[in-house]
Amino acid sequence: MPGPGVAAYLILSVILFATGAFGVLIRRSPLIVLLALEIMLNAGNLALIAFARQTGTGTGQIFALTVMVVAAAEAVVGLGLIVAVSRRHVALDVDKLTTLRG
Amino acid sequence: MTNFIVWVVWVLAALALLSSGIAVVLFQNPFYSALALIGNLASLAVLYLLLAAEFVAAAQVLVYAGAVVVMFLFVIAYLGGRADAPWAGKPSPQSLAAIVAAAAIAVEIVVVIALKAGDQLSTPAQIEDSFGTPAEIGRLFLGDHLLAFEVTSIVLLVAAVGGVILRSAVPRESRS
């Protein structure tokens, strides 16, 4: 009996990506939108690492590590923006944040 | 027998992954969402271990569960975890459209992969024991992928400076 192949990991990754996309679309709190974005990035990482195992080269793992760094940077800047918005006493609701100055 | 154990671990990790991912999206309290994200990242690390990516699994736990989620929890605690209830009342057209769009993305990816890959996905390559170890990752980073490594350090520097600037910005009305 063979172990789980790359197709099984890819299906998992697709379902996880769709979950994250659903969260980004449906939630109104920017904090949870950021959390769902992390889920989408991690689904991409899972596919990259599954392909790295499939082809037997380490390049996919390097790519996944780089994605991880970009995700950390994105979380820093995104959370900074959320804190800056909340200091101006604007409602934390992505449907209401429609103007950049104000 | 080893493959049976691998399947058991895979199924458990996959169930934990999907259920915690759905929990992140569905919890009303952002604090619980961030805690569910830790479970999501930990089960992903288990899957990375099954894919012979030891270093990425360790980095995942350290960087994500150790640093990024803690930062999320700090910000949620600072802002006071306000609950928002997207499913109160009857389903809005926006939520129905979100379900359709997410399902469309999933179907689209599956169709594209199935069309492009065909039967190339059946047999994984033979790998050596050194695959995915820190030594191998370091050799790749400082050899073939040196540019990515250096650009990564610039990205981190810009993010650190940006975070400091964003958080030290004073609202206009309270300036003297």
Side-chain angles (χ1 to χ4, degrees):
Chain A
M1 178 164 116
V6 68
Y9 289 98
L10 285 181
I11 290 169
L12 208 55
S13 156
V14 168
I15 299 173
L16 195 64
F17 189 88
T19 310
F22 176 68
V24 169
L25 289 173
I26 202 168
R27 295 308 295 254
R28 286 193 291 270
S29 160
L31 281 165
I32 300 189
V33 169
L34 272 182
L35 288 175
L37 267 177
E38 299 285 333
I39 290 184
M40 289 169 78
L41 287 164
N42 275 307
N45 264 354
L46 181 61
L48 282 171
I49 289 178
F51 281 126
R53 176 67 187 82
Q54 176 72 17
T55 57
T57 55
T59 309
Q61 299 191 3
I62 299 290
F63 214 123
L65 284 168
T66 314
V67 169
M68 222 177 266
V69 169
V70 173
E74 167 254 316
V76 168
V77 176
L79 288 175
L81 284 173
I82 292 174
V83 171
V85 165
S86 77
R87 278 190 187 169
R88 290 179 174 273
H89 308 293
V90 182
L92 280 179
D93 186 334
V94 288
D95 289 342
K96 291 178 185 154
L97 293 173
T98 53
T99 50
L100 283 175
R101 285 187 74 91
Chain B
M1 190 57 203
T2 19
N3 275 335
F4 179 71
I5 299 172
V6 168
W7 268 110
V8 169
V9 175
W10 188 87
V11 168
L12 289 178
L15 286 178
L17 182 76
L18 295 181
S19 55
S20 60
I22 292 169
V24 170
V25 173
L26 295 190
F27 270 136
Q28 291 189 5
N29 191 333
F31 204 81
Y32 293 153
S33 285
L35 290 181
L37 188 68
I38 296 181
N40 192 273
L41 300 170
S43 42
L44 262 178
V46 172
L47 289 176
Y48 291 172
L49 284 178
L50 290 182
L51 286 167
E54 292 99 356
F55 181 74
V56 184
Q60 167 95 359
V61 173
L62 283 175
V63 173
Y64 262 120
V68 173
V69 176
V70 170
M71 194 166 62
F72 267 104
L73 289 175
F74 266 121
V75 171
I76 291 168
Y78 172 70
L79 296 179
R82 267 163 278 181
D84 71 330
W87 356 99
K90 61 178 171 29
S92 65
Q94 191 186 0
S95 57
L96 291 177
I99 292 173
V100 172
I105 288 174
V107 170
E108 193 177 31
I109 299 172
V110 168
V111 166
V112 167
I113 289 178
L115 285 181
K116 285 285 173 192
D119 54 353
Q120 294 170 23
L121 298 179
S122 49
T123 47
Q126 294 293 320
I127 51 169
E128 298 162 16
D129 281 349
S130 68
F131 184 76
T133 55
E136 177 72 9
I137 298 284
R139 200 185 58 73
L140 281 170
F141 251 139
L142 295 178
D144 293 350
H145 304 283
L146 186 63
L147 182 66
F149 187 68
E150 298 297 340
V151 170
T152 293
S153 52
I154 297 175
V155 168
L156 282 177
L157 177 69
V158 170
V161 173
V164 170
I165 289 177
L166 279 173
R167 278 162 215 204
S168 63
V170 183
R172 203 178 303 135
E173 53 269 28
S174 63
R175 270 183 216 151
S176 55

